[in-house]
Amino acid sequence: MGTSVGIGFSTRKSPMDAGNEAARTALEQAGIAKPDLVLVFATVGYHQQQLIGAIREATSGAPLCGCSGEGIIVQDAVVETNFAVGVMVIASDEVSFGITSVTGIGEEPCAAGKKLAAQITPLLADDSRAFFLLADGLAFDFDPFVAAFESVLPSSAKLPIFGGLAADNWASRRTYQYHDGEILSQGACCIVMSGRCRVAWGINHGCVPVGAKRTITRSKGNIIYEIDGTPALDVLKEYVDEDWAVKWNKATLNLGLGFKTPEHLRERYDEYYVRYIMAKDDEAGSVTIQSDVTDGTPLWIVRRDKELMMDGLKSIPRQIKEDLAGQKPKLVLQFECMGRGRVVFKEQERMDLVKCLQRDLGEDLPWLGFYTYGEIGPISRYNCFHNFTSVVAVVY
């Protein structure tokens, strides 16, 4: 049989109609009745339980994993609306998938990471190749979660991790994670992929520093209280308009925090890695990011650079093709920062960028992605978290 993959997509507003249309289109494209795995990305205008229920019914209750996104990416469409759903179905006698999930990642990230690892361990095999992780973008703190996750795994199972953080429609209120028929929030879903397969990937961000080096002088975990002895929010005011507090989402989509990429990662990455400012505390004058920091860490205020983003996205196929060495991919997953979507590019520009990727890698490939609140992808042998970034993973 080999590996059969199909993609379905719908923008119908009825959750039942959209889920049914996307799932049935994917099954027809793959030429299968029941898949081994169903992967779903959807926006948050839908009644989520009804949407997933319709997809589960159409796919005969096959194992399902996925999450909500700010927008959906497939071969012929890039859609950032409240009503869009993409479905990938996979049936294979070469590749196998195991799925599991946890909740409570915001309150106890270490405990949640250890629990997820314990649940995924029985699903591991000698030929396990990668993890795919989808987590709540409003609650996730990458460093303690993944450190705890990897500490429980056998040493032979330190696999590359790919994925993205679930998003909503810019409201920053609630995101959703899908595990079989369950709809979670403050959760994380994980897929372990095993078998006769490999993953090639490319990563690029596209931000530039806009000021001199600064230093974190007071922090705790992923909360930054002071920069250069000044409340972090006061420092950011120097870089934004006077009404920044009212237009917080817009301000943080134009500005982020840049940190020097460690020396051992620079061969495969940019000079800086970027962090999105996911929350603020006006009373404390602090900001929260999605990974931990320590006092004394140097940082730079960075902004998105449209030209750099466009050039960087075009470099991703080159990175991937080096690893593919002429082999044909089975499927492509794209995790794209929502700060690289409609807030920067017009609709045709977004489509042109994605089509450029697809032309270089293959316009006939099963392709599914979503606009995220954070991206996960390895640099060299190290699993890393990213913001303002495109992560493209190709299974071959």
Side-chain angles (χ1 to χ4, degrees):
M1 177 178 73
T3 299
S4 299
V5 185
I7 300 291
F9 176 72
S10 181
T11 55
R12 291 177 180 265
K13 291 190 176 180
S14 160
M16 286 81 75
D17 291 346
N20 184 65
E21 179 179 60
R24 292 195 178 279
T25 301
L27 291 170
E28 289 172 10
Q29 190 180 104
I32 57 176
K34 182 176 180 178
D36 298 320
L37 178 71
V38 181
L39 186 61
V40 181
F41 301 138
T43 54
V44 296
Y46 295 115
H47 185 290
Q48 299 285 296
Q49 192 69 65
Q50 291 178 4
L51 176 73
I52 298 303
I55 295 170
R56 292 274 286 167
E57 182 177 356
T59 55
S60 304
L64 182 149
C65 186
C67 68
S68 61
E70 190 273 330
I72 308 301
I73 300 168
V74 292
Q75 275 283 5
D76 298 316
V78 178
V79 178
E80 293 178 82
T81 71
N82 280 343
F83 299 98
V85 55
V87 174
M88 175 181 283
V89 298
I90 308 171
S92 179
D93 58 9
E94 304 170 313
V95 185
S96 63
F97 304 93
I99 63 171
T100 190
S101 65
V102 293
T103 56
I105 66 170
E107 296 90 347
E108 297 184 17
C110 292
K114 290 179 179 180
K115 182 178 179 181
L116 187 68
Q119 292 173 187
I120 208 83
T121 296
L123 306 176
L124 293 168
D126 292 340
D127 60 358
S128 293
R129 301 300 184 192
F131 296 119
F132 293 89
L133 181 64
L134 305 168
D136 190 324
L138 302 176
F140 195 56
D141 185 356
F142 178 84
D143 291 323
F145 182 94
V146 171
F149 176 78
E150 293 186 330
S151 73
V152 173
L153 295 173
S155 57
S156 59
K158 299 299 172 64
L159 303 175
I161 303 175
F162 304 90
L165 302 195
D168 58 9
N169 59 352
W170 300 96
S172 296
R173 291 184 187 136
R174 188 177 185 185
T175 76
Y176 303 94
Q177 301 79 54
Y178 316 137
H179 176 216
D180 287 340
E182 292 182 273
I183 310 297
L184 312 174
S185 287
Q186 293 236 350
C189 302
C190 189
I191 302 169
V192 56
M193 183 180 73
S194 306
R196 298 195 301 276
C197 60
R198 295 187 182 277
V199 184
W201 67 93
I203 300 173
N204 189 272
H205 65 71
C207 291
V208 294
V210 293
K213 181 179 75 171
R214 292 180 173 272
T215 304
I216 296 173
T217 48
R218 188 163 69 91
S219 64
K220 182 179 180 181
N222 62 338
I223 302 173
I224 302 172
Y225 290 96
E226 292 183 359
I227 299 171
D228 293 333
T230 301
L233 280 178
D234 289 344
V235 171
L236 290 175
K237 289 177 186 177
E238 300 175 20
Y239 297 87
V240 295
D241 298 332
E242 290 183 4
D243 62 350
W244 72 279
V246 177
K247 300 178 180 178
W248 171 252
N249 281 346
K250 182 178 179 181
T252 54
L253 284 170
N254 282 287
L255 290 175
L257 302 181
F259 300 86
K260 278 282 189 182
T261 301
E263 288 290 341
H264 63 278
L265 301 180
R266 286 191 192 175
E267 184 180 347
R268 295 282 304 225
Y269 200 60
D270 296 297
E271 184 178 1
Y272 302 94
Y273 64 91
V274 181
R275 288 291 175 264
Y276 170 63
I277 305 166
M278 62 183 289
K280 64 181 174 70
D281 185 325
D282 293 307
E283 185 175 342
S286 65
V287 296
T288 301
I289 60 176
Q290 292 162 315
S291 60
D292 288 358
V293 295
T294 56
D295 294 354
T297 300
L299 65 79
W300 288 258
I301 310 300
V302 299
R303 65 168 174 79
R304 292 170 300 141
D305 184 277
K306 188 173 181 179
E307 186 174 336
L308 191 61
M309 289 163 63
M310 295 175 75
D311 290 343
L313 199 58
K314 294 173 185 176
S315 75
I316 286 177
R318 292 197 297 270
Q319 299 175 43
I320 292 173
K321 285 181 176 180
E322 288 179 10
D323 293 329
L324 285 177
Q327 297 186 63
K328 185 176 175 62
K330 302 177 189 294
L331 60 93
V332 182
L333 296 174
Q334 182 175 358
F335 307 101
E336 191 80 6
C337 176
M338 85 296 189
R340 299 164 60 94
R342 61 182 175 177
V343 295
V344 185
F345 299 110
K346 296 177 182 178
E347 183 175 355
Q348 190 57 49
E349 288 179 319
R350 299 197 309 273
M351 193 68 240
D352 288 346
L353 281 170
V354 173
K355 291 304 290 183
C356 179
L357 274 175
Q358 293 170 345
R359 279 193 302 271
D360 282 349
L361 289 174
E363 291 183 285
D364 61 336
L365 298 177
W367 192 298
L368 182 62
F370 74 102
Y371 284 99
T372 78
Y373 279 174
E375 304 77 54
I376 303 168
I379 302 174
S380 299
R381 296 175 291 105
Y382 299 88
N383 289 315
C384 299
F385 181 77
H386 313 272
N387 287 126
F388 293 83
T389 301
S390 178
V391 175
V392 179
V394 173
V395 177
Y396 68 101

